[in-house]
Amino acid sequence: RDAGSICFPCEKVPHSHMELRNASAIFRVVSTDCWQVLSTRFKDAYVEAGEEIAPVQNKAVVPSLCFVTQGKAQLDTGYATRHLQSGDVFGEASLLGLPELCGGQGRLLAISNCIIQTLRTSDFVEVLRHFPEDQQAIFRFSQSIDSDAKQMCRLLKGSAVFCDCGFAFVALVCQHLTWSLMAPGDLLFQRGEKCLADESPMFLIISGSVDVEVAEDAVLRSTEAGEVLGASGAIGSVEYRATGVRACCTGGLVATVRIPGAALEVAF
């Protein structure tokens, strides 16, 4: 096996297709027929504690979505540490051909012995070719996203939350960004959710539309690309979220960027 790669193909791991589908917004928006084929393309692997979780072929890392079936993993970006456990996914954006943002780059290590299920981007693309409507919807969505790092900084700097901050400060915050994709109806955060300074995240809307809710089924307003939501909770100026944010039920996928509250403390 390649050093530092996923290894030891294991016996077929019992899993719920519904659990896998719920783990990614991308899987929830494709048709049921498309998902049924995609679910057969996942590969199971056992990764020992301390090993790097990185699907490798011919000594090159293969773009893939990784689903943690069992165990715990840790991503060290050099700026922060992200913890993953059973039910979490990593590399979702790779299915759309998007590069990982700075907060998602680094070595993903198994902290305990893990069972990982992976779907290679090439398999995802190949399956989509057989489902033209799903393929077109995913293509339109991915084309609507400008993933350029400088553009991310410009969007953040142009928002009401960061407009008075210096470019150097915003650039430091951008080192902690990670993708967060939403299917129609998904909650970004919930009204009444407890906020913790330096822990609760805020979000930058990149593509698609979300509703700001003051109560269940009571929409205050809709917002689109370029707005930062949840800043009050991230900086600790409120104890609970006064509103909730949900992806518009009548739209398609929504791309947001997650900004952890701790990024502000580090930048300061």
Side-chain angles (χ1 to χ4, degrees):
R1 64 184 175 91
D2 292 299
S5 67
I6 279 186
C7 56
F8 307 133
C10 56
E11 296 298 322
K12 185 65 179 177
V13 180
H15 62 269
S16 163
H17 282 188
M18 185 59 68
E19 184 181 11
L20 269 177
R21 191 174 192 182
N22 286 339
S24 170
I26 297 172
F27 300 149
R28 295 196 300 277
V29 298
V30 298
S31 65
T32 300
D33 288 344
C34 180
W35 165 246
Q36 287 177 344
V37 178
L38 284 172
S39 66
T40 67
R41 299 299 183 94
F42 280 84
K43 305 297 183 184
D44 302 325
Y46 176 79
V47 187
E48 290 186 320
E51 292 280 352
E52 185 172 2
I53 300 172
V56 170
Q57 185 175 33
N58 298 327
K59 298 185 178 180
V61 175
V62 179
S64 306
L65 173 145
C66 296
F67 177 81
V68 183
T69 302
Q70 292 179 23
K72 295 182 179 181
Q74 176 178 294
L75 176 70
D76 185 1
T77 68
Y79 297 95
T81 300
R82 177 184 170 192
H83 300 278
L84 294 91
Q85 58 187 2
S86 178
D88 289 337
V89 293
F90 175 79
E92 188 178 25
S94 71
L95 298 185
L96 302 175
L98 300 175
E100 281 296 340
L101 300 176
C102 288
Q105 296 176 3
R107 298 183 70 208
L108 182 62
L109 298 176
I111 300 303
S112 65
N113 293 341
C114 291
I115 295 176
I116 305 294
Q117 293 177 269
T118 63
L119 175 67
R120 294 186 176 189
T121 299
S122 57
D123 287 334
F124 177 74
V125 172
E126 193 275 327
V127 170
L128 281 185
R129 293 195 185 103
H130 300 281
F131 300 90
E133 290 187 8
D134 293 312
Q135 183 186 44
Q136 290 171 17
I138 294 295
F139 177 78
R140 284 196 301 269
F141 175 68
S142 62
Q143 291 298 300
S144 72
I145 301 172
D146 188 342
S147 59
D148 179 72
K150 291 182 179 178
Q151 175 62 8
M152 291 287 181
C153 284
R154 286 193 289 268
L155 273 177
L156 211 55
K157 180 73 173 70
S159 68
V161 174
F162 289 94
C163 62
D164 293 329
C165 299
F167 279 103
F169 178 85
V170 173
L172 286 173
V173 171
C174 285
Q175 299 294 331
H176 300 266
L177 305 183
T178 54
W179 292 110
S180 181
L181 305 180
M182 304 166 66
D186 282 357
L187 272 171
L188 194 58
F189 53 80
Q190 193 166 7
R191 179 175 177 267
E193 181 179 296
K194 187 173 179 58
C195 301
L196 298 173
D198 300 334
E199 292 187 25
S200 297
M202 65 181 90
F203 297 87
L204 171 66
I205 308 302
I206 300 297
S207 178
S209 182
V210 300
D211 290 333
V212 179
E213 302 176 335
V214 292
E216 189 173 354
D217 298 327
V219 176
L220 177 65
R221 62 188 177 90
S222 294
T223 184
E224 298 185 351
E227 185 164 353
V228 173
L229 301 172
S232 296
I235 64 177
S237 63
V238 296
E239 187 175 0
Y240 298 95
R241 305 271 194 193
T243 59
V245 175
R246 186 186 303 272
C248 290
C249 294
T250 56
L253 281 167
V254 174
T256 76
V257 165
R258 185 180 187 274
I259 310 166
L264 303 180
E265 181 65 24
V266 172
F268 279 126

